[in-house]
């Protein structure tokens, strides 16, 4: 991967497609995801459909070895290392992003930085791994080119609804920014087995899925080993996963790697990590450390 690719990432705020899975690998991981849904999914938006809900959406890489392998795929990690300019890579979180067919769900314009005070910002990014094709018809991610250079933008909270379902409801406060940069909006269309990378400050969103097929991806938040909490001392010592290199810092606790699939030990690992995550969110809100503490009425 050439240096000009990183320059493009830093300039645009995103990079895609990152082709890292073979056809066979892509089919394998998609099949394993479907098995997960069959085991733990519940009724969806239409008869016969199932989807993952609640805490089982998050940190899939802690409960199944196949997911741990996916987020550590050597070609994907090589791209992440290049964009973050580091040999030491941590996984802060991962979450399943599923949009059922013919659904109205969408995600408002936001920066990932609004969800965790971590820095420096140029040492974090999100990888969006396509487990199905993702296109403008089924609600692919949309980026605003160059928006990562706008700095840390104020966000406000809006009430979470079935149609607007960002985890904490954080969207950028000044929606006129989107209007002014409308010509820079890019649809991130991916084939199953490809990924996109976007910067911590890149403004992005997605539209509803108007197709007759589910759109499924796994969003993985990677960060370099030198990342620290912005506010110190941190409200909690977060659990993170070592993806490459080593971690010698004091701000995060390295969590284990699953040995099997969905066993007692794996779910205990997952529960510990999720409990720590919800503790961070609760204490951050209590201390006024979220970008916005007021819900839009």
């Amino acid at each position: 991967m050439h240096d000009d690719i990183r320059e493009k990432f830093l300039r645009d705020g995103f990079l895609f497609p990152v082709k890292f899975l073979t056809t066979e690998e892509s089919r394998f991981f998609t099949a394993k995801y479907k098995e997960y849904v069959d085991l733990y999914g519940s009724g969806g938006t239409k008869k016969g459909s199932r989807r993952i809900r609640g805490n089982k959406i998050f940190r899939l890489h802690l409960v199944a070895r196949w997911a741990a392998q996916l987020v550590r795929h050597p070609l994907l990690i090589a791209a992440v290392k290049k964009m973050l300019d580091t040999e030491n890579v941590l996984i802060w979180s991962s979450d399943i992003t599923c949009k059922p067919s013919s659904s109205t769900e969408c995600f408002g314009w936001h920066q990932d930085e609004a969800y965790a005070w971590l820095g420096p910002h140029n040492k974090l990014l999100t990888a969006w791994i396509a487990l199905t094709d993702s296109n403008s018809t089924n609600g692919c991610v949309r980026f605003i080119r160059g928006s990562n250079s706008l700095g840390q933008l104020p966000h406000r909270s809006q009430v979470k609804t079935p149609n607007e379902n960002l985890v904490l409801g954080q969207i950028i406060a000044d929606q006129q920014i989107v209007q002014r940069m409308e010509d820079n909006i890019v649809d991130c269309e991916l084939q199953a087995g490809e990924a996109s990378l976007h910067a911590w400050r890149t403004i992005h969103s997605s539209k509803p899925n108007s197709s007759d097929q589910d759109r499924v991806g796994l969003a993985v938040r990677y960060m370099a080993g030198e990342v620290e909490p912005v506010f110190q001392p941190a409200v909690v010592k977060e659990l993170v996963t070592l993806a490459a290199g080593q971690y010698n810092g004091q701000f995060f606790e390295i969590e284990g790697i699953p040995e099997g699939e969905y066993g007692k030990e794996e779910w205990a690992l997952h529960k510990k990590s999720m409990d720590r995550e919800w503790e961070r969110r609760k204490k951050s809100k209590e201390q006024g450390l979220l970008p916005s503490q007021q819900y839009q009425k």
Side-chain angles (χ1 to χ4, degrees):
M1 188 170 288
H2 301 294
D3 289 341
D4 58 347
I5 295 297
R6 183 169 186 267
E7 292 174 3
K8 177 177 172 58
F9 174 79
L10 295 175
R11 180 180 66 251
D12 293 345
F14 56 83
L15 177 69
F16 75 90
V18 177
K19 300 177 183 290
F20 76 103
L21 293 180
T22 65
T23 300
E24 292 74 20
E25 287 174 327
S26 179
R27 288 173 179 167
F28 169 77
F29 287 118
T30 299
K32 295 301 288 186
Y33 165 74
K34 290 180 179 178
E35 287 180 9
Y36 182 60
V37 175
D38 287 341
L39 284 170
Y40 298 105
S42 58
T45 58
K46 63 180 182 179
K47 185 177 180 181
S49 66
R50 294 173 66 83
R51 64 185 295 189
I52 301 298
R53 301 176 188 277
N55 279 354
K56 290 184 174 66
I57 290 173
F58 303 102
R59 304 178 189 263
L60 180 57
H61 66 279
L62 296 180
V63 295
R65 189 162 183 79
W66 65 266
Q69 293 169 345
L70 176 60
V71 299
R72 290 178 179 79
H73 193 285
L75 295 181
L76 179 59
I77 293 300
V80 171
K81 285 181 177 181
K82 186 71 173 181
M83 299 309 110
L84 295 181
D85 190 25
T86 187
E87 290 297 316
N88 304 312
V89 179
L90 304 173
I91 298 172
W92 180 65
S93 71
S94 68
D95 53 279
I96 298 166
T97 61
C98 175
K99 284 188 180 180
S101 61
S102 304
S103 65
T104 56
E105 294 181 12
C106 61
F107 295 86
W109 292 103
H110 67 283
Q111 298 172 312
D112 288 343
E113 188 175 33
Y115 285 78
W117 294 115
L118 299 170
H121 69 89
N122 60 343
K123 292 296 183 177
L124 300 104
L125 62 76
T126 296
W128 202 96
I129 302 170
L131 295 176
T132 65
D133 291 349
S134 181
N135 51 55
S136 57
T137 302
N138 66 13
C140 66
V141 178
R142 311 174 79 209
F143 301 125
I144 299 183
R145 181 183 285 112
S147 59
N148 57 309
S149 65
L150 297 178
Q152 184 184 65
L153 298 174
H155 283 62
R156 61 179 171 83
S157 293
Q158 64 177 12
V159 176
K160 185 178 177 181
T161 70
N163 293 339
E164 295 277 356
N165 55 6
L166 286 168
V167 174
L168 297 180
Q170 298 289 331
I171 61 171
I172 58 173
D174 183 5
Q175 292 290 305
Q176 291 185 358
I177 291 174
V178 178
Q179 297 175 18
R180 291 194 297 268
M181 302 187 73
E182 189 172 6
D183 291 343
N184 289 350
I185 295 175
V186 177
D187 285 346
C188 178
E189 297 196 319
L190 301 170
Q191 294 181 345
E194 296 178 340
S196 65
L197 306 178
H198 68 263
W200 208 230
R201 289 182 172 176
T202 298
I203 301 174
H204 57 290
S205 71
S206 64
K207 289 185 175 181
N209 180 358
S210 60
S211 76
D212 61 358
Q213 299 292 323
D214 290 355
R215 187 226 65 178
V216 183
L218 182 68
V220 190
R221 327 293 174 178
Y222 293 100
M223 62 186 188
E226 59 261 45
V227 165
E228 301 178 2
V230 172
F231 297 105
Q232 296 184 25
V235 293
V236 297
K237 190 170 188 177
E238 293 193 76
L239 286 159
V240 298
T241 301
L242 183 65
Q246 58 186 354
Y247 179 67
N248 297 317
Q250 59 180 334
F251 300 102
F252 303 100
E253 179 182 339
I254 300 299
E255 55 199 353
I257 299 173
E259 295 293 332
E261 291 186 11
Y262 322 128
K264 184 179 296 185
E265 291 183 1
E266 285 77 26
W267 283 116
L269 184 67
H270 181 268
K271 183 179 187 305
K272 180 180 179 181
S273 190
M274 287 305 306
D275 285 350
R276 194 79 59 89
E277 165 69 5
W278 286 112
E279 182 185 3
R280 177 189 66 82
R281 294 183 187 182
K282 179 182 178 182
K283 289 185 175 179
S284 295
K285 185 173 183 179
E286 289 173 350
Q287 296 179 31
L289 298 180
L290 293 178
S292 171
Q293 301 298 116
Q294 300 297 319
Y295 284 94
Q296 177 187 10
K297 301 298 184 181

